[in-house]
Amino acid sequence: MRTTNQRHWMSTGMAAIALIATCALAPRAHAQNDRMTPIAAPAQPGAIELKTGALPGVTAPEAWHSQYGSVFARNVTVATLTPFLPDPAKATGAAIVVAPGGGFRTLSMQNEGWDVARALADRGVAAFVLKYRLNQTPQDMAAFERSMREMFSGAARPPRPAPDAAITGLAPQIADARAAFALIRRRAKEWRIDPERIGMIGFSAGAMLTMATTLAGEEAKPAFIGNIYGPLASMTVPAAAPPMFAALAADDPLFGNSGFGLIENWRAAKRPVEFHLYEQGGHGFGMYKKDTTSTGWFGAFADWLRMHGFLQAARP
């Protein structure tokens, strides 16, 4: 059963993320490419359908676009998991589910998905990009852009969900995450993965899904988690909460001024936590190269994984 604090955390996070999708906050270096341009669905070699079903009542098919020199998906109705396996000579036996962000309206598949997974695989960690199901958006690109502008202006601002409805609203995404963990464990021997060393990292909305999976993912039970520019409001920490790495920019327009209760709660519960607050970086920096120290988050995360033994092969 979720506590009032947990429900409040989910409600607050959903309300904030619903207002601004990750893809709308462009790094300055990519400002010249901020126009959304429809593209054909890229090849996704190795993508595995998770068989969690299609979203009911959908009308718009999955669509892709480019922006900021990166690639995004929207109207995802069928969840998939794409493995990025390390060279067997480097493999540590650890694995991680990567959840891109995008306000549950789009998915930043390249910047917060594939690029992250490749970097993890290069360090010996088997990475799996989760393309989870999304809320529907207008099929026409011009209508989609218009709906985004209206949302940012507040003209179409969604009501704040009631606490009990907050996590219920993420039921399809949590089901996708649970299915991802189950699939990795079923094929752990084939992929040379220790089923007890599977973690999860998420960005913005993906960070919220990571936390929701930690709270309500039942058998998923991530061994470690990464919360990258997700909500850090207070919540009740599970007794067996996994080690957590968190990174946020102080000038993040969503969560930079919302307090760091989640970090304080993790510490009070005497659970391992590392928190990086960068002076600048905005929201959605991901793997983009920027002239801010936020670009160093991935190196810090890799060092943290090493400190916890996930970049070393487990002893037999």
Side-chain angles (χ1 to χ4, degrees):
M1 180 177 293
R2 289 174 293 280
T3 67
T4 300
N5 281 347
Q6 289 172 344
R7 293 195 302 268
H8 172 72
W9 181 89
M10 297 294 296
S11 177
T12 301
M14 284 192 73
I17 291 176
L19 298 182
I20 306 178
T22 300
C23 63
L25 294 156
R28 293 174 185 173
H30 294 268
Q32 68 273 22
N33 299 322
D34 62 355
R35 183 175 182 81
M36 296 180 188
T37 303
I39 61 172
Q44 300 166 74
I48 304 166
E49 286 194 16
L50 288 173
K51 303 188 185 303
T52 48
L55 286 173
V58 298
T59 57
E62 182 174 303
W64 291 71
H65 65 273
S66 64
Q67 191 179 24
Y68 317 136
S70 193
V71 172
F72 299 80
R74 62 190 181 93
N75 291 333
V76 174
T77 62
V78 177
T80 67
L81 192 70
T82 300
F84 288 77
L85 302 178
D87 183 324
K90 290 184 175 181
T92 69
I96 187 165
V97 175
V98 180
F104 298 108
R105 295 164 64 88
T106 67
L107 288 176
S108 181
M109 293 297 295
Q110 183 174 340
N111 178 47
E112 298 172 352
W114 304 329
D115 289 351
V116 175
R118 290 188 185 101
L120 287 162
D122 188 56
R123 285 161 173 78
V125 179
F128 298 82
V129 177
L130 177 60
K131 187 174 75 173
Y132 52 90
R133 291 170 290 173
L134 296 174
N135 298 330
Q136 287 264 287
T137 61
Q139 183 173 347
D140 176 72
M141 178 58 74
F144 171 62
E145 290 181 306
R146 186 164 56 251
S147 74
M148 297 293 278
R149 286 195 299 271
E150 290 172 350
M151 183 173 66
F152 303 146
S153 71
R157 182 168 297 177
R160 177 172 173 170
D164 287 334
I167 202 163
T168 302
L170 289 182
Q173 292 80 19
I174 295 171
D176 295 342
R178 290 175 59 195
F181 275 86
L183 173 63
I184 296 168
R185 290 191 173 114
R186 280 199 308 272
R187 299 181 63 174
K189 185 175 181 180
E190 171 191 349
W191 287 328
R192 301 183 180 184
I193 290 168
D194 181 344
E196 300 302 317
R197 300 174 74 209
I198 306 170
M200 186 171 184
I201 185 171
F203 301 79
S204 190
M208 186 174 172
L209 177 56
T210 297
M211 299 307 298
T213 302
T214 302
L215 293 174
E218 300 179 11
E219 73 286 352
K221 292 183 170 55
F224 58 91
I225 55 175
N227 180 327
I228 312 301
Y229 43 81
L232 298 180
S234 291
M235 57 165 272
T236 300
V237 180
M244 178 173 65
F245 177 95
L248 181 71
D251 61 352
D252 185 310
L254 271 71
F255 306 120
N257 296 307
S258 300
F260 314 118
L262 183 65
I263 307 303
E264 295 165 359
N265 298 153
W266 231 258
R267 293 189 65 202
K270 301 188 185 310
R271 301 305 300 152
V273 59
E274 182 160 326
F275 176 40
H276 293 254
L277 179 64
Y278 296 101
E279 178 185 342
Q280 298 178 37
H283 190 79
F285 46 83
M287 299 296 279
Y288 289 127
K289 299 299 182 185
K290 300 182 68 176
D291 295 328
T292 60
T293 54
S294 61
T295 297
W297 79 267
F298 183 82
F301 179 61
D303 287 343
W304 180 80
L305 290 176
R306 182 179 296 106
M307 181 178 70
H308 282 277
F310 292 110
L311 295 192
Q312 296 83 35
R315 295 179 180 178

